[in-house]
Amino acid sequence: MLLEGIETLLVLAKEGTMSKAGSTLYISQSAVSKRISGLEKRLGKKLIEPDGRRIKLTADADALIRNVGPSYRELKGLIFDQQHVQDQTLISLACSETLVAGYLGQRLGEYLRIDPYISISTHHTPVIVERVQSGEATIGFCAGHLPPHHGLATRHLLDEPFTIVSHQPLTRQPDGLLVNDLKNPANAYQASLLQQAGILPLMEMDSYTASAQLALGGVAPALIPHSIVKALKINPEYCHHFDFLDQLTRPVHLCYRHKTYRSARVQALIETIADSVPTTASAPST
């Protein structure tokens, strides 16, 4: 019951409301409340406070998450390592949305006809890594820099190039760009490279697809990775290359727990994903 309460608190901290936490955990809102109440009684501490329609964590809750969260995820991962992957065991693949759209569409469709017991979800890279660490995901397919000290097995597949997408012709390097969320640790490295190039982030979007669509609509030029250009089939006339882009790539990795690779089914899926990603990719340009 203690571990159940900690898990619920971790989910609640991410989701912000009892109802969203319940949806994530597949339990009712009242069950979430009971779990948190039970954890508070066990610890003798107040962990949450109402904050309008959302909940606010207390200082004790923040400290508990900082101290216990990493160990809890590792414990879940160690339990996951004891699982024997059989023919119908569900394999969970946590992906970057841009990568699954750009590289896996057709290949994964063919693969699922051979092995249908695969679940796919999309997340930002820090969440993907956390899910693999805890065993909630079997394999992670990540874009951008991985967090340090993640403790996972990784395979570097590609340094993916970027292009500048613009509906209007560009005769020189733009002064500002639509970019993806630079507060995301996986993307943070881009900020200094853009600053060195003298480029101002105009808007920080949550999705490269949204940035590309705004750029094609004439809002402003956008920094877009090759996988999105490929997935959206953006016409090369709207893609532009400038010298600073030679230094601006994003690494693409597979990550998984070390013992996971012992499963023949997991190996097969990992190799299929790796084969679907080109070892080099150059974004189209005019």
Side-chain angles (χ1 to χ4, degrees), residues 244-260:
F244 82 94
L245 292 172
D246 293 336
Q247 308 300 319
L248 187 61
T249 61
R250 65 172 189 167
V252 175
H253 288 93
L254 283 166
C255 63
Y256 44 92
R257 295 184 64 81
H258 291 273
K259 291 186 178 180
T260 304

Side-chain angles (χ1 to χ4, degrees), residues 41 51 82 115 127 142 167-168 178 209 215 248 278:
K41 289 178 181 177
D51 185 21
Q82 304 307 310
D115 186 350
V127 177
C142 306
H167 185 266
Q168 305 298 327
L178 306 178
T209 300
L248 187 61

Side-chain angles (χ1 to χ4, degrees), residues 67-201:
N67 294 327
V68 177
S71 298
Y72 175 76
R73 285 191 292 271
E74 181 59 21
L75 176 60
K76 286 185 68 176
L78 291 172
I79 294 172
F80 174 80
D81 285 343
Q82 304 307 310
Q83 176 184 352
H84 177 61
V85 180
Q86 300 176 336
D87 289 345
Q88 296 185 5
T89 300
L90 190 67
I91 294 176
S92 175
L93 174 62
C95 302
S96 160
E97 180 183 82
T98 57
L99 298 182
V100 72
Y103 297 124
L104 296 188
Q106 181 177 351
R107 190 71 177 269
L108 203 54
E110 296 169 352
Y111 192 87
L112 286 170
R113 287 193 282 273
I114 301 171
D115 186 350
Y117 300 102
I118 296 171
S119 170
I120 305 166
S121 59
T122 58
H123 313 273
H124 294 307
T125 288
V127 177
I128 293 173
V129 172
E130 285 185 5
R131 290 179 68 84
V132 176
Q133 287 173 327
S134 68
E136 293 175 52
T138 315
I139 303 168
F141 188 27
C142 306
H145 284 225
L146 299 176
H149 315 302
H150 51 71
L152 301 173
T154 62
R155 185 183 300 189
H156 177 253
L157 302 181
L158 170 71
D159 286 319
E160 185 180 37
F162 284 88
T163 190
I164 303 301
V165 172
S166 175
H167 185 266
Q168 305 298 327
L170 295 177
T171 57
R172 63 179 182 85
Q173 177 180 301
D175 296 324
L177 290 172
L178 306 178
V179 297
N180 209 10
D181 181 9
L182 298 179
K183 294 182 289 295
N184 181 335
N187 303 328
Y189 72 99
Q190 297 174 13
S192 60
L193 293 171
L194 290 171
Q195 185 178 32
Q196 291 171 23
I199 294 175
L200 178 69

